[in-house]
Amino acid sequence: MPMKHPCTCSCREQRKLTVSYVWAYATSQFCETAAVVYDFSPGRAGEDARNFLQDWRGQQVCDDFAGYKSSFELGVTEIGCMAHARREFLELHATNKSMLAEQALRYLDDGALPIDNNRAESQIRPWALGRTNWLCAGSLRSGKRAAAIMSLMQAARMNGHDPYAYLKDILTRLPTQRASDSDELLPHMWKPVSLRKIVLAAE
């Protein structure tokens, strides 16, 4: 279940300083796969999220950012983030059977849903901390490349791996890795060299 939070980042394109955005799509703490994927986008409108998610339909924990509304109209289930919502929703629903309050409290129907989107908020922190040092991405294309690399590094951290060891290993293996085994290089599937040797020895 992706959770999103946009973060501004500057990029220089055609000698003009423009603002682009990093979107974070993270799985919840209840998902078997620990992952985050960043998307570097020129805007923060609903179409930017839809362009990335395409046909995905699932449950999205988020704040009330208007850019998400187009996704909900296409079948994505909105799960209100209780860190952003007001506790009065519970009282409002109990006393007036408010449909709006019922939608805000929908997470109660599924214990596997997180109560807030704080996990996604924390995954955007490395960008916020690095933005001051990086100043600009150079171009939209280089921003997208940075997003792909940061996705791998952060997902490696989420799975308990040292990002340097992970990247060094997969970049070494990539030229000879069979396409059918490429999933082994994903952060949630990757095993350090020492563990791979143990597995091979056991076989």
Side-chain angles (χ1 to χ4, degrees):
M1 173 183 62
M3 300 176 283
K4 312 167 190 174
H5 179 77
C7 167
T8 60
C9 183
S10 298
C11 77
R12 186 175 298 279
E13 189 169 278
Q14 299 178 348
R15 299 182 182 179
K16 180 181 177 183
L17 191 65
T18 60
V19 176
S20 294
Y21 299 85
V22 175
W23 296 69
Y25 302 84
T27 57
S28 81
Q29 58 268 42
F30 305 115
C31 184
E32 291 182 4
T33 302
V36 61
V37 177
Y38 299 108
D39 180 40
F40 194 84
S41 175
R44 64 189 301 253
E47 64 180 299
D48 296 295
R50 286 313 320 157
N51 288 340
F52 182 84
L53 294 174
Q54 298 183 9
D55 296 331
W56 178 83
R57 301 290 184 270
Q59 298 161 316
Q60 176 184 331
V61 180
C62 60
D63 57 21
D64 198 36
F65 175 57
Y68 303 140
K69 301 305 180 186
S70 62
S71 296
F72 306 145
E73 294 170 1
L74 296 174
V76 173
T77 302
E78 179 180 12
I79 310 296
C81 170
M82 293 307 286
H84 293 85
R86 297 293 178 261
R87 300 305 181 258
E88 285 79 12
F89 276 126
L90 181 60
E91 182 180 347
L92 182 62
H93 178 60
T95 56
N96 300 320
K97 301 300 180 189
S98 166
M99 294 301 293
L100 177 62
E102 182 180 1
Q103 291 177 1
L105 297 168
R106 188 176 295 169
Y107 76 93
L108 292 174
D109 295 335
D110 190 342
L113 297 175
I115 196 170
D116 54 44
N117 69 343
N118 290 346
R119 185 175 170 94
E121 299 268 355
S122 66
Q123 297 307 319
I124 208 72
R125 191 171 294 125
W127 288 90
L129 295 175
R131 179 176 51 194
T132 304
N133 298 321
W134 304 329
L135 295 181
C136 60
S139 68
L140 183 61
R141 185 177 181 184
S142 61
K144 288 187 175 294
R145 288 176 177 168
I149 294 171
M150 284 287 285
S151 296
L152 291 172
M153 292 178 65
Q154 278 301 104
R157 286 191 183 100
M158 293 171 73
N159 284 275
H161 306 312
D162 170 33
Y164 174 77
Y166 167 72
L167 287 175
K168 181 180 178 182
D169 182 67
I170 66 167
L171 291 175
T172 301
R173 294 168 56 189
L174 194 58
T176 57
Q177 187 80 4
R178 291 183 300 183
S180 59
D181 296 330
S182 59
D183 286 357
E184 295 176 358
L185 303 182
L186 294 173
H188 64 282
M189 300 285 288
W190 180 77
K191 292 181 175 56
V193 175
S194 57
L195 287 180
R196 289 204 308 274
K197 288 180 179 176
I198 293 173
V199 172
L200 290 174
E203 292 177 351

